[in-house]
């Protein structure tokens, strides 16, 4: 028998049979874990509510053939309780969780992504910043940690000093007039400066940005994520359609 214990944040859960649930947890040291939590949907379950999405937990699992088995769960921080009461906050947290799952599903080492996600979810839970700004900051940082940091000043293709107005996810970010492809986004340069402020954690500048620049920035962040993950983040599309 092989057991392990780790800290993790619950990203997702699916029903299994009449009383069980399959949970997806991003852990500090074991990467993305998918495990069966037996009997958690019964009213008398010892740890059913602890395995809801966005809960930060200390869990013990037994290694199984295809799915691990959750044997013990201790609650560390109940983020779900503060997130579920606000639709915008819940929507942003859902996008964070889905993005984290997509980025880390093929990565055995997840410590940096885990710490980044916990920090972002905690910030959302505490209402430290507007939900969409918190989300955009997380997405930019998560993609950068994964190796896909956008160029937001100099031209991503030729290196020509910026700022430049055009932005192309396919070419790596900001692009000059000579490198600009057909169909590139043409936001105001202030929108790219807003994205740079989110990426660097300059919240005073990010929150002071014009609403139009914030909207343009969000659109470019969404395009950046979708391009490099080669898939649409479903919860992000739902958020943008509301």
């Amino acid at each position: 028998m092989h057991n392990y214990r780790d800290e993790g944040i619950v990203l997702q859960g699916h029903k299994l049979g009449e009383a069980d649930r399959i949970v997806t947890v991003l852990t500090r040291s074991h990467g993305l874990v998918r495990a069966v939590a037996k009997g958690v949907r019964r009213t008398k379950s010892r740890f059913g509510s602890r395995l809801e999405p966005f809960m930060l937990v200390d869990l013990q699992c037994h290694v199984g053939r295809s799915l691990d088995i959750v044997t013990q769960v201790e609650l560390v921080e109940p983020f779900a309780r503060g997130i579920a009461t606000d639709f915008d906050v819940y929507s942003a947290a859902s996008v964070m969780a889905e993005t984290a799952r997509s980025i880390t599903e093929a990565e055995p080492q997840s410590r940096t992504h885990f710490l980044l996600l916990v920090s972002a979810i905690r910030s959302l839970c505490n209402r430290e910043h507007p939900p969409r700004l918190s989300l955009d900051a997380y997405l930019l940082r998560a993609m950068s940690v994964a190796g896909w940091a956008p160029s937001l000043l100099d031209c991503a293709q030729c290196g020509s000093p910026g700022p430049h107005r055009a932005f192309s996810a396919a070419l790596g970010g900001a692009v000059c007039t000579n490198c600009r492809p057909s169909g590139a986004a043409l936001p105001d340069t202030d929108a790219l400066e807003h994205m740079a402020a989110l990426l660097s954690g300059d919240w005073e500048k990010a929150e002071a940005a014009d609403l139009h620049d914030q909207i343009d920035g969000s659109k470019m962040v969404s395009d950046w994520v979708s391009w490099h993950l080669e898939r649409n983040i479903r919860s992000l599309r739902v958020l943008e359609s509301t």
Side-chain angles (χ1 to χ4, degrees), residues 200-220:
S200 66
D202 186 348
W203 285 105
E204 182 177 356
K205 184 174 181 179
E207 293 185 359
D210 182 81
L211 180 59
H212 181 74
D213 294 327
Q214 293 184 24
I215 293 172
D216 282 348
S218 293
K219 177 64 168 62
M220 289 186 287

Side-chain angles (χ1 to χ4, degrees), residues 31 55 106 116 128 142 163 184 206 212 215 234:
M55 291 296 200
L116 179 63
E128 293 178 9
H212 181 74
I215 293 172
R234 185 176 61 178

Side-chain angles (χ1 to χ4, degrees), residues 99-177:
T99 303
R101 192 171 70 250
S102 297
I103 290 176
T104 61
E105 59 187 0
E107 293 189 13
Q109 300 298 322
S110 59
R111 180 181 175 85
T112 303
H113 283 292
F114 167 78
L115 294 174
L116 179 63
L117 180 61
V118 170
S119 177
I121 292 292
R122 182 180 288 117
S123 177
L124 272 179
C125 188
N126 294 335
R127 311 296 196 269
E128 293 178 9
H129 310 290
R132 187 59 200 242
L133 294 188
S134 291
L135 172 59
D136 289 341
Y138 167 77
L139 293 175
L140 284 168
R141 294 172 190 176
M143 297 299 289
S144 296
V145 168
W148 297 307
S151 175
L152 299 173
L153 181 62
D154 299 337
C155 178
Q157 286 296 290
C158 69
S160 173
H164 301 291
R165 185 182 177 191
F167 183 88
S168 170
L171 295 185
V175 286
C176 66
T177 302

